[in-house]
Amino acid sequence: MAQIIDIVLLVFLCTVAVATVRMRDLFGIAMLFGIFSLLSASVFVVLDAGDVAMTEAAVGAGLTTILMLSTLAATGSRAHPRAVRWKLPLFVVTVTGAALVYATTDMPRFGDPNAPVQTHPVAKHYIETSQEETGIPNMVTPLLASYRGFDTLGETAVVFTAGIGVLALIGRRRKKDGTPVDENHGEDIRAEHHAVVRVVGKILIPAILLYACYIQAHGDFGPGGGFQAGVVFASGLMLYLLLFGVAAAARVAPFAVLERLIALGLLLYGGIGVLNMMLGGNFLDYRTLAENAKDGLHYGIILIELGVGITVAAVVTTLVFAFADHLQRGPVHRQD
Amino acid sequence: MEFFGLFNYWVFIFLMMAGFYLLLSARNLVKKIVGLNLFQTSVFVFYVSAGKVTGGTVPIQQEGITSYSNPLPHVLILTAIVVGVASTALGLSLILKIKDTYGTMEEDEIDSLDVAT
Amino acid sequence: MIEQHAIALVVVVPLLAAPLCVLTGRGRWAWTVATAAVWSSFALALHLVQRVLSEGPITYAMGGWQPPVGIEFRLDAAGALVMLVITGIATIVAPYARKSVEREVDDFRQHRFYACLLLCLCGLLGMTITADAFNLFVFLEISSLSTYALVAMGRDRRAFTAAFRYLLIGTVGATFYLLGIGFLYILTGTLNMADMAERLVQPAWDGEGLVHQTRTARAAFAFLTVGLSMKIAIWPLHLWLPNVYAYAPSAVSAFLSATATKVAVLVLLRMFYTVDGLAAPFSTLPVADTLVPLAIIGALGTSILAIYQDDLKRALAYSSVAQVGYIVLGIGLASTAGLSASLLHLFNHALMKGALFCAMGCIVYRVGSTRINAVRGVGRSMPWTTAALLLGGLSLIGVPLTAGFTSKWALVSAILEQERWFTAALMLVSSLLAIIYVGRIIGIVLLSKRPRGAPQVGEAPAWMVAPTLVLALLNLYFGIASDTSSELALRAAQALEEVAR
């Protein structure tokens, strides 16, 4: 059964990939990518990676597609039909692909339980010893937040960079009250005049925000945690933006506040690490946070997941708001 | 099963190369970003498939289950997915700036504008 | 406490100072935070370098989890050398940035600029110190993403296209790196570099030969090398570099040209010597045979291109690709002498390009651009800037008593040691080309007359001139007292080879 699902998914994936390459219309391409991403999320489920599937669905299929569509809304979706160059790209791709196929020929077969990945002592540690050390049923969580917690700190820093970088690029000079200094020439997006959408949307927003808090807290027991929760939380604010427009949304979550929240989340995460040093442990050794090592780990993981959640929610909101704000600013040709 | 063992990987390689080809051949900057994303997403699938054990299950502790898929690739790819969307966001905002200042997002038109100045 | 955690703090301080910069919300305060962070990072680095040189490698287990379960930080002499370069250049560029950034970046963006600069520093330092192959990818992306944002803050619209192209190539490079690491992980089951090294020389999973002899391992190193070559800008994968250096804000050009490609070189060395070291990669993989010709072609070709640029920053950028060629050439020689010459040149090149790009920034501050027509004859009214330009230029050519001379000398000796006369001759030709392009720059800035009607300019502010001069004088210092730097480079080369043995 699993194999049939697998084959069907792979056929779909290939079809979508080929269609994406051949498609001319940019809106179509962005939508196809969303579908591709969602299909790969399904493949992740088949591959037993629940957390990855959830992130791919939220971040790849959701956020990336939204950002692509908002870019196209500002730039127009027509790619010039022009003679495609294909010789050199095809050559490079063929060589790279051949190298990859060559590499796989000596690889352990798919799903082989005797592959080094499965037999190396660290795999055993993450699967078995982690239960004794942390008592957290979802093995991904202690691995993500503690054993490789430093990676996750770096990942949060990457998210932080994206948020600050996008603000540095398309952020506008703003007055004290948060309104931009220069004039808007474009249109604000909002669906306020559709009564049904507005009413349903208003009901949905609190539910989405509450669900985000559930995912944030549930990371210990099932797929979930700060990243997924942050994206879901931000999607609630996105819905608000769609219903009432940028100006209104930026009053609820002003850019200045979002920017500080981005910083605070990362600071909370890193601050825990510094606190651990002061308590006599190594950087990010949460076991120093309580008398009992297991309790300390729990506290640490909850706190850093909170930091991740804050930064991710603030960055994702900032990204979507900033792209919508750029659209509202409208076409300004600037010659430097 | 023996054949199936590598077949999965080859499909993922095909997907990677489809994205890489789009990235290299497209002149439109948005298309390039889509190509990059296709490429990266396929690499992620490839990675995660390496952690799969036949007969294993989702790495969440449950009564009566002894074989779990290795959670390490999952964690690595969680990180990589987030890094990927971060670069995409930056890339797209660069496209917005390019469109603002050049009035186009076609690579060859940008090049000819640069030569002119 | 600080002593025990110094190796972690050197990365963590800039990492946490970045959000603080954002919280201040103002350019000037952010600058203060950034400078304080960079200087403390440099102080920590000095302390660490001393300890590494006297006591040997320092290790640190992140989160208290011992490797390979947790992520390990490991600093040896090679890492110490690169760390010293990065933090040292940052320490000099930080005060320089104050005035330069005020002039070149909008005030409401400045705090974000400093946050990105700190993250870039943090990323580069992390890549230098980490002993975990995947953690390295994370730091690579931290430094890359912040670099894209920094470059795009340049004033010319070409900064956007340069940043975009760099983003595409950089991300492809990083993904290739990720693929390479993925293959190695599939073969060994671990991500810790030392652990990987041991498992690469054990029997393969299917019992046929050793792990490093499998096709998968060979392909893995091919992908790692190509991916990192994009970051190092080895010819012909250098196309992103000239515009990035030319159109980035001056402080960013100075910092990047002195650090970014160098760290990528160190990572490449780590892959060969630390990860694949036990398997003797230089005799089992065609590394040397590929790198040497590419390095030579790159050095010659881009030196010629440097002569024909009508923008001085762009000319220096092409020269950077040529100089990277020398560094790669030294690695390709696969000998202790070659490796240490390469590391010495890495150190010295940071000094010369740092000084030259800082001087360019001083000119930009007054003239607004580095196009030939704009800068003609500005040298006479900017004596200190010109002095720095001259010193940096002489060092770049490799005139005796400058830092550039010592490393080029070491490199030529290493080439001649292997009796590769032709390679040595080509290298000398490319050095002659350097005389031409440096001479042309000096000629335009100092010797030609300021055209009539062009605005007369004064010297750049002391905040910028002083750091520029410090860097220029360091070229002289390390040219005369070359024992210190040569010793450090030799120790670094030995440290890399020791792991291999």
Side-chain angles (χ1 to χ4, degrees), chain A residues 289-310:
Chain A
L289 289 174
E291 293 276 311
N292 180 330
K294 231 183 214 180
D295 289 345
L297 266 174
H298 273 274
Y299 298 148
I301 290 177
I302 289 172
L303 285 171
I304 63 112
E305 288 272 13
L306 186 64
V308 171
I310 293 173

mmCIF file with all atom_site columns, all heavy atoms in Angstrom, chain A residues 289-310:
data_model
loop_
_atom_site.group_PDB
_atom_site.id
_atom_site.type_symbol
_atom_site.label_atom_id
_atom_site.label_alt_id
_atom_site.label_comp_id
_atom_site.label_asym_id
_atom_site.label_entity_id
_atom_site.label_seq_id
_atom_site.pdbx_PDB_ins_code
_atom_site.Cartn_x
_atom_site.Cartn_y
_atom_site.Cartn_z
_atom_site.occupancy
_atom_site.B_iso_or_equiv
_atom_site.pdbx_formal_charge
_atom_site.auth_seq_id
_atom_site.auth_comp_id
_atom_site.auth_asym_id
_atom_site.auth_atom_id
_atom_site.pdbx_PDB_model_num
ATOM 1   N N   . LEU A 1 289 ? 19.356 24.531 34.453 1.00 0.00 ? 289 LEU A N   1
ATOM 2   C CA  . LEU A 1 289 ? 18.265 25.425 34.829 1.00 0.00 ? 289 LEU A CA  1
ATOM 3   C C   . LEU A 1 289 ? 17.491 24.944 36.045 1.00 0.00 ? 289 LEU A C   1
ATOM 4   O O   . LEU A 1 289 ? 16.752 25.705 36.655 1.00 0.00 ? 289 LEU A O   1
ATOM 5   C CB  . LEU A 1 289 ? 17.298 25.599 33.646 1.00 0.00 ? 289 LEU A CB  1
ATOM 6   C CG  . LEU A 1 289 ? 17.831 26.422 32.468 1.00 0.00 ? 289 LEU A CG  1
ATOM 7   C CD1 . LEU A 1 289 ? 16.856 26.398 31.316 1.00 0.00 ? 289 LEU A CD1 1
ATOM 8   C CD2 . LEU A 1 289 ? 18.107 27.854 32.889 1.00 0.00 ? 289 LEU A CD2 1
ATOM 9   N N   . ALA A 1 290 ? 17.610 23.665 36.404 1.00 0.00 ? 290 ALA A N   1
ATOM 10  C CA  . ALA A 1 290 ? 16.869 23.164 37.565 1.00 0.00 ? 290 ALA A CA  1
ATOM 11  C C   . ALA A 1 290 ? 17.739 22.152 38.299 1.00 0.00 ? 290 ALA A C   1
ATOM 12  O O   . ALA A 1 290 ? 18.753 21.691 37.783 1.00 0.00 ? 290 ALA A O   1
ATOM 13  C CB  . ALA A 1 290 ? 15.560 22.525 37.114 1.00 0.00 ? 290 ALA A CB  1
ATOM 14  N N   . GLU A 1 291 ? 17.314 21.825 39.508 1.00 0.00 ? 291 GLU A N   1
ATOM 15  C CA  . GLU A 1 291 ? 18.039 20.836 40.307 1.00 0.00 ? 291 GLU A CA  1
ATOM 16  C C   . GLU A 1 291 ? 18.165 19.523 39.536 1.00 0.00 ? 291 GLU A C   1
ATOM 17  O O   . GLU A 1 291 ? 19.220 18.942 39.410 1.00 0.00 ? 291 GLU A O   1
ATOM 18  C CB  . GLU A 1 291 ? 17.251 20.563 41.596 1.00 0.00 ? 291 GLU A CB  1
ATOM 19  C CG  . GLU A 1 291 ? 17.183 21.733 42.538 1.00 0.00 ? 291 GLU A CG  1
ATOM 20  C CD  . GLU A 1 291 ? 18.419 21.814 43.413 1.00 0.00 ? 291 GLU A CD  1
ATOM 21  O OE1 . GLU A 1 291 ? 18.782 20.780 43.989 1.00 0.00 ? 291 GLU A OE1 1
ATOM 22  O OE2 . GLU A 1 291 ? 19.008 22.917 43.502 1.00 0.00 ? 291 GLU A OE2 1
ATOM 23  N N   . ASN A 1 292 ? 17.008 19.124 38.996 1.00 0.00 ? 292 ASN A N   1
ATOM 24  C CA  . ASN A 1 292 ? 16.926 17.870 38.271 1.00 0.00 ? 292 ASN A CA  1
ATOM 25  C C   . ASN A 1 292 ? 17.217 18.130 36.791 1.00 0.00 ? 292 ASN A C   1
ATOM 26  O O   . ASN A 1 292 ? 16.600 19.003 36.179 1.00 0.00 ? 292 ASN A O   1
ATOM 27  C CB  . ASN A 1 292 ? 15.496 17.338 38.472 1.00 0.00 ? 292 ASN A CB  1
ATOM 28  C CG  . ASN A 1 292 ? 15.290 16.016 37.751 1.00 0.00 ? 292 ASN A CG  1
ATOM 29  O OD1 . ASN A 1 292 ? 15.925 15.762 36.724 1.00 0.00 ? 292 ASN A OD1 1
ATOM 30  N ND2 . ASN A 1 292 ? 14.395 15.217 38.270 1.00 0.00 ? 292 ASN A ND2 1
ATOM 31  N N   . ALA A 1 293 ? 18.164 17.385 36.236 1.00 0.00 ? 293 ALA A N   1
ATOM 32  C CA  . ALA A 1 293 ? 18.589 17.634 34.856 1.00 0.00 ? 293 ALA A CA  1
ATOM 33  C C   . ALA A 1 293 ? 17.412 17.559 33.884 1.00 0.00 ? 293 ALA A C   1
ATOM 34  O O   . ALA A 1 293 ? 17.267 18.379 32.983 1.00 0.00 ? 293 ALA A O   1
ATOM 35  C CB  . ALA A 1 293 ? 19.668 16.637 34.450 1.00 0.00 ? 293 ALA A CB  1
ATOM 36  N N   . LYS A 1 294 ? 16.522 16.577 34.098 1.00 0.00 ? 294 LYS A N   1
ATOM 37  C CA  . LYS A 1 294 ? 15.390 16.390 33.191 1.00 0.00 ? 294 LYS A CA  1
ATOM 38  C C   . LYS A 1 294 ? 14.467 17.604 33.220 1.00 0.00 ? 294 LYS A C   1
ATOM 39  O O   . LYS A 1 294 ? 14.017 18.096 32.174 1.00 0.00 ? 294 LYS A O   1
ATOM 40  C CB  . LYS A 1 294 ? 14.619 15.138 33.616 1.00 0.00 ? 294 LYS A CB  1
ATOM 41  C CG  . LYS A 1 294 ? 14.372 14.178 32.487 1.00 0.00 ? 294 LYS A CG  1
ATOM 42  C CD  . LYS A 1 294 ? 13.550 13.015 32.988 1.00 0.00 ? 294 LYS A CD  1
ATOM 43  C CE  . LYS A 1 294 ? 13.948 11.738 32.278 1.00 0.00 ? 294 LYS A CE  1
ATOM 44  N NZ  . LYS A 1 294 ? 13.178 10.575 32.726 1.00 0.00 ? 294 LYS A NZ  1
ATOM 45  N N   . ASP A 1 295 ? 14.201 18.111 34.429 1.00 0.00 ? 295 ASP A N   1
ATOM 46  C CA  . ASP A 1 295 ? 13.343 19.299 34.542 1.00 0.00 ? 295 ASP A CA  1
ATOM 47  C C   . ASP A 1 295 ? 13.987 20.479 33.836 1.00 0.00 ? 295 ASP A C   1
ATOM 48  O O   . ASP A 1 295 ? 13.336 21.221 33.115 1.00 0.00 ? 295 ASP A O   1
ATOM 49  C CB  . ASP A 1 295 ? 13.111 19.658 36.012 1.00 0.00 ? 295 ASP A CB  1
ATOM 50  C CG  . ASP A 1 295 ? 12.212 18.644 36.695 1.00 0.00 ? 295 ASP A CG  1
ATOM 51  O OD1 . ASP A 1 295 ? 11.582 17.864 35.955 1.00 0.00 ? 295 ASP A OD1 1
ATOM 52  O OD2 . ASP A 1 295 ? 12.160 18.640 37.936 1.00 0.00 ? 295 ASP A OD2 1
ATOM 53  N N   . GLY A 1 296 ? 15.304 20.630 34.065 1.00 0.00 ? 296 GLY A N   1
ATOM 54  C CA  . GLY A 1 296 ? 16.021 21.736 33.438 1.00 0.00 ? 296 GLY A CA  1
ATOM 55  C C   . GLY A 1 296 ? 15.878 21.685 31.928 1.00 0.00 ? 296 GLY A C   1
ATOM 56  O O   . GLY A 1 296 ? 15.591 22.696 31.285 1.00 0.00 ? 296 GLY A O   1
ATOM 57  N N   . LEU A 1 297 ? 16.045 20.481 31.370 1.00 0.00 ? 297 LEU A N   1
ATOM 58  C CA  . LEU A 1 297 ? 15.898 20.317 29.924 1.00 0.00 ? 297 LEU A CA  1
ATOM 59  C C   . LEU A 1 297 ? 14.515 20.764 29.456 1.00 0.00 ? 297 LEU A C   1
ATOM 60  O O   . LEU A 1 297 ? 14.381 21.477 28.472 1.00 0.00 ? 297 LEU A O   1
ATOM 61  C CB  . LEU A 1 297 ? 16.087 18.842 29.553 1.00 0.00 ? 297 LEU A CB  1
ATOM 62  C CG  . LEU A 1 297 ? 17.481 18.418 29.149 1.00 0.00 ? 297 LEU A CG  1
ATOM 63  C CD1 . LEU A 1 297 ? 17.535 16.922 28.954 1.00 0.00 ? 297 LEU A CD1 1
ATOM 64  C CD2 . LEU A 1 297 ? 17.882 19.128 27.869 1.00 0.00 ? 297 LEU A CD2 1
ATOM 65  N N   . HIS A 1 298 ? 13.492 20.351 30.227 1.00 0.00 ? 298 HIS A N   1
ATOM 66  C CA  . HIS A 1 298 ? 12.128 20.729 29.856 1.00 0.00 ? 298 HIS A CA  1
ATOM 67  C C   . HIS A 1 298 ? 11.967 22.241 29.846 1.00 0.00 ? 298 HIS A C   1
ATOM 68  O O   . HIS A 1 298 ? 11.450 22.811 28.892 1.00 0.00 ? 298 HIS A O   1
ATOM 69  C CB  . HIS A 1 298 ? 11.125 20.101 30.823 1.00 0.00 ? 298 HIS A CB  1
ATOM 70  C CG  . HIS A 1 298 ? 10.722 18.733 30.423 1.00 0.00 ? 298 HIS A CG  1
ATOM 71  N ND1 . HIS A 1 298 ? 9.705  18.498 29.532 1.00 0.00 ? 298 HIS A ND1 1
ATOM 72  C CD2 . HIS A 1 298 ? 11.212 17.522 30.778 1.00 0.00 ? 298 HIS A CD2 1
ATOM 73  C CE1 . HIS A 1 298 ? 9.584  17.195 29.351 1.00 0.00 ? 298 HIS A CE1 1
ATOM 74  N NE2 . HIS A 1 298 ? 10.488 16.583 30.094 1.00 0.00 ? 298 HIS A NE2 1
ATOM 75  N N   . TYR A 1 299 ? 12.411 22.892 30.943 1.00 0.00 ? 299 TYR A N   1
ATOM 76  C CA  . TYR A 1 299 ? 12.278 24.353 31.011 1.00 0.00 ? 299 TYR A CA  1
ATOM 77  C C   . TYR A 1 299 ? 13.004 24.994 29.839 1.00 0.00 ? 299 TYR A C   1
ATOM 78  O O   . TYR A 1 299 ? 12.472 25.876 29.172 1.00 0.00 ? 299 TYR A O   1
ATOM 79  C CB  . TYR A 1 299 ? 12.852 24.906 32.323 1.00 0.00 ? 299 TYR A CB  1
ATOM 80  C CG  . TYR A 1 299 ? 12.170 24.409 33.564 1.00 0.00 ? 299 TYR A CG  1
ATOM 81  C CD1 . TYR A 1 299 ? 12.871 24.232 34.761 1.00 0.00 ? 299 TYR A CD1 1
ATOM 82  C CD2 . TYR A 1 299 ? 10.801 24.117 33.554 1.00 0.00 ? 299 TYR A CD2 1
ATOM 83  C CE1 . TYR A 1 299 ? 12.251 23.771 35.899 1.00 0.00 ? 299 TYR A CE1 1
ATOM 84  C CE2 . TYR A 1 299 ? 10.176 23.653 34.692 1.00 0.00 ? 299 TYR A CE2 1
ATOM 85  C CZ  . TYR A 1 299 ? 10.905 23.473 35.863 1.00 0.00 ? 299 TYR A CZ  1
ATOM 86  O OH  . TYR A 1 299 ? 10.285 23.000 36.987 1.00 0.00 ? 299 TYR A OH  1
ATOM 87  N N   . GLY A 1 300 ? 14.240 24.546 29.621 1.00 0.00 ? 300 GLY A N   1
ATOM 88  C CA  . GLY A 1 300 ? 15.045 25.139 28.558 1.00 0.00 ? 300 GLY A CA  1
ATOM 89  C C   . GLY A 1 300 ? 14.360 25.020 27.209 1.00 0.00 ? 300 GLY A C   1
ATOM 90  O O   . GLY A 1 300 ? 14.242 25.993 26.468 1.00 0.00 ? 300 GLY A O   1
ATOM 91  N N   . ILE A 1 301 ? 13.862 23.792 26.933 1.00 0.00 ? 301 ILE A N   1
ATOM 92  C CA  . ILE A 1 301 ? 13.245 23.569 25.624 1.00 0.00 ? 301 ILE A CA  1
ATOM 93  C C   . ILE A 1 301 ? 12.005 24.440 25.462 1.00 0.00 ? 301 ILE A C   1
ATOM 94  O O   . ILE A 1 301 ? 11.796 25.064 24.417 1.00 0.00 ? 301 ILE A O   1
ATOM 95  C CB  . ILE A 1 301 ? 12.918 22.076 25.439 1.00 0.00 ? 301 ILE A CB  1
ATOM 96  C CG1 . ILE A 1 301 ? 14.228 21.286 25.289 1.00 0.00 ? 301 ILE A CG1 1
ATOM 97  C CG2 . ILE A 1 301 ? 12.045 21.858 24.220 1.00 0.00 ? 301 ILE A CG2 1
ATOM 98  C CD1 . ILE A 1 301 ? 14.072 19.807 25.173 1.00 0.00 ? 301 ILE A CD1 1
ATOM 99  N N   . ILE A 1 302 ? 11.210 24.546 26.533 1.00 0.00 ? 302 ILE A N   1
ATOM 100 C CA  . ILE A 1 302 ? 10.000 25.385 26.441 1.00 0.00 ? 302 ILE A CA  1
ATOM 101 C C   . ILE A 1 302 ? 10.394 26.835 26.166 1.00 0.00 ? 302 ILE A C   1
ATOM 102 O O   . ILE A 1 302 ? 9.814  27.508 25.306 1.00 0.00 ? 302 ILE A O   1
ATOM 103 C CB  . ILE A 1 302 ? 9.181  25.283 27.744 1.00 0.00 ? 302 ILE A CB  1
ATOM 104 C CG1 . ILE A 1 302 ? 8.543  23.891 27.825 1.00 0.00 ? 302 ILE A CG1 1
ATOM 105 C CG2 . ILE A 1 302 ? 8.103  26.353 27.786 1.00 0.00 ? 302 ILE A CG2 1
ATOM 106 C CD1 . ILE A 1 302 ? 7.877  23.598 29.133 1.00 0.00 ? 302 ILE A CD1 1
ATOM 107 N N   . LEU A 1 303 ? 11.416 27.312 26.879 1.00 0.00 ? 303 LEU A N   1
ATOM 108 C CA  . LEU A 1 303 ? 11.809 28.721 26.723 1.00 0.00 ? 303 LEU A CA  1
ATOM 109 C C   . LEU A 1 303 ? 12.381 29.005 25.342 1.00 0.00 ? 303 LEU A C   1
ATOM 110 O O   . LEU A 1 303 ? 12.009 30.002 24.715 1.00 0.00 ? 303 LEU A O   1
ATOM 111 C CB  . LEU A 1 303 ? 12.834 29.094 27.800 1.00 0.00 ? 303 LEU A CB  1
ATOM 112 C CG  . LEU A 1 303 ? 12.226 29.283 29.191 1.00 0.00 ? 303 LEU A CG  1
ATOM 113 C CD1 . LEU A 1 303 ? 13.324 29.424 30.234 1.00 0.00 ? 303 LEU A CD1 1
ATOM 114 C CD2 . LEU A 1 303 ? 11.320 30.506 29.217 1.00 0.00 ? 303 LEU A CD2 1
ATOM 115 N N   . ILE A 1 304 ? 13.276 28.123 24.870 1.00 0.00 ? 304 ILE A N   1
ATOM 116 C CA  . ILE A 1 304 ? 13.866 28.456 23.571 1.00 0.00 ? 304 ILE A CA  1
ATOM 117 C C   . ILE A 1 304 ? 12.834 28.284 22.447 1.00 0.00 ? 304 ILE A C   1
ATOM 118 O O   . ILE A 1 304 ? 12.826 29.042 21.485 1.00 0.00 ? 304 ILE A O   1
ATOM 119 C CB  . ILE A 1 304 ? 15.143 27.634 23.266 1.00 0.00 ? 304 ILE A CB  1
ATOM 120 C CG1 . ILE A 1 304 ? 14.860 26.165 23.161 1.00 0.00 ? 304 ILE A CG1 1
ATOM 121 C CG2 . ILE A 1 304 ? 16.247 27.919 24.262 1.00 0.00 ? 304 ILE A CG2 1
ATOM 122 C CD1 . ILE A 1 304 ? 15.036 25.660 21.788 1.00 0.00 ? 304 ILE A CD1 1
ATOM 123 N N   . GLU A 1 305 ? 11.935 27.311 22.597 1.00 0.00 ? 305 GLU A N   1
ATOM 124 C CA  . GLU A 1 305 ? 10.872 27.180 21.592 1.00 0.00 ? 305 GLU A CA  1
ATOM 125 C C   . GLU A 1 305 ? 10.027 28.455 21.562 1.00 0.00 ? 305 GLU A C   1
ATOM 126 O O   . GLU A 1 305 ? 9.556  28.882 20.512 1.00 0.00 ? 305 GLU A O   1
ATOM 127 C CB  . GLU A 1 305 ? 9.980  25.970 21.904 1.00 0.00 ? 305 GLU A CB  1
ATOM 128 C CG  . GLU A 1 305 ? 10.645 24.632 21.646 1.00 0.00 ? 305 GLU A CG  1
ATOM 129 C CD  . GLU A 1 305 ? 10.479 24.136 20.207 1.00 0.00 ? 305 GLU A CD  1
ATOM 130 O OE1 . GLU A 1 305 ? 10.061 24.932 19.354 1.00 0.00 ? 305 GLU A OE1 1
ATOM 131 O OE2 . GLU A 1 305 ? 10.773 22.959 19.956 1.00 0.00 ? 305 GLU A OE2 1
ATOM 132 N N   . LEU A 1 306 ? 9.864  29.062 22.735 1.00 0.00 ? 306 LEU A N   1
ATOM 133 C CA  . LEU A 1 306 ? 9.116  30.313 22.794 1.00 0.00 ? 306 LEU A CA  1
ATOM 134 C C   . LEU A 1 306 ? 9.876  31.406 22.024 1.00 0.00 ? 306 LEU A C   1
ATOM 135 O O   . LEU A 1 306 ? 9.284  32.155 21.241 1.00 0.00 ? 306 LEU A O   1
ATOM 136 C CB  . LEU A 1 306 ? 8.914  30.730 24.253 1.00 0.00 ? 306 LEU A CB  1
ATOM 137 C CG  . LEU A 1 306 ? 8.033  31.951 24.461 1.00 0.00 ? 306 LEU A CG  1
ATOM 138 C CD1 . LEU A 1 306 ? 6.620  31.672 23.987 1.00 0.00 ? 306 LEU A CD1 1
ATOM 139 C CD2 . LEU A 1 306 ? 8.025  32.371 25.932 1.00 0.00 ? 306 LEU A CD2 1
ATOM 140 N N   . GLY A 1 307 ? 11.189 31.458 22.248 1.00 0.00 ? 307 GLY A N   1
ATOM 141 C CA  . GLY A 1 307 ? 12.005 32.434 21.523 1.00 0.00 ? 307 GLY A CA  1
ATOM 142 C C   . GLY A 1 307 ? 11.892 32.226 20.025 1.00 0.00 ? 307 GLY A C   1
ATOM 143 O O   . GLY A 1 307 ? 11.662 33.167 19.256 1.00 0.00 ? 307 GLY A O   1
ATOM 144 N N   . VAL A 1 308 ? 11.981 30.954 19.600 1.00 0.00 ? 308 VAL A N   1
ATOM 145 C CA  . VAL A 1 308 ? 11.856 30.644 18.177 1.00 0.00 ? 308 VAL A CA  1
ATOM 146 C C   . VAL A 1 308 ? 10.490 31.081 17.671 1.00 0.00 ? 308 VAL A C   1
ATOM 147 O O   . VAL A 1 308 ? 10.363 31.745 16.633 1.00 0.00 ? 308 VAL A O   1
ATOM 148 C CB  . VAL A 1 308 ? 12.048 29.126 17.940 1.00 0.00 ? 308 VAL A CB  1
ATOM 149 C CG1 . VAL A 1 308 ? 11.694 28.766 16.516 1.00 0.00 ? 308 VAL A CG1 1
ATOM 150 C CG2 . VAL A 1 308 ? 13.468 28.716 18.253 1.00 0.00 ? 308 VAL A CG2 1
ATOM 151 N N   . GLY A 1 309 ? 9.455  30.747 18.447 1.00 0.00 ? 309 GLY A N   1
ATOM 152 C CA  . GLY A 1 309 ? 8.086  31.086 18.035 1.00 0.00 ? 309 GLY A CA  1
ATOM 153 C C   . GLY A 1 309 ? 7.927  32.587 17.841 1.00 0.00 ? 309 GLY A C   1
ATOM 154 O O   . GLY A 1 309 ? 7.363  33.028 16.845 1.00 0.00 ? 309 GLY A O   1
ATOM 155 N N   . ILE A 1 310 ? 8.451  33.370 18.795 1.00 0.00 ? 310 ILE A N   1
ATOM 156 C CA  . ILE A 1 310 ? 8.309  34.832 18.704 1.00 0.00 ? 310 ILE A CA  1
ATOM 157 C C   . ILE A 1 310 ? 9.004  35.352 17.451 1.00 0.00 ? 310 ILE A C   1
ATOM 158 O O   . ILE A 1 310 ? 8.410  36.084 16.648 1.00 0.00 ? 310 ILE A O   1
ATOM 159 C CB  . ILE A 1 310 ? 8.907  35.512 19.959 1.00 0.00 ? 310 ILE A CB  1
ATOM 160 C CG1 . ILE A 1 310 ? 8.072  35.168 21.184 1.00 0.00 ? 310 ILE A CG1 1
ATOM 161 C CG2 . ILE A 1 310 ? 8.955  37.025 19.762 1.00 0.00 ? 310 ILE A CG2 1
ATOM 162 C CD1 . ILE A 1 310 ? 8.668  35.643 22.480 1.00 0.00 ? 310 ILE A CD1 1
#
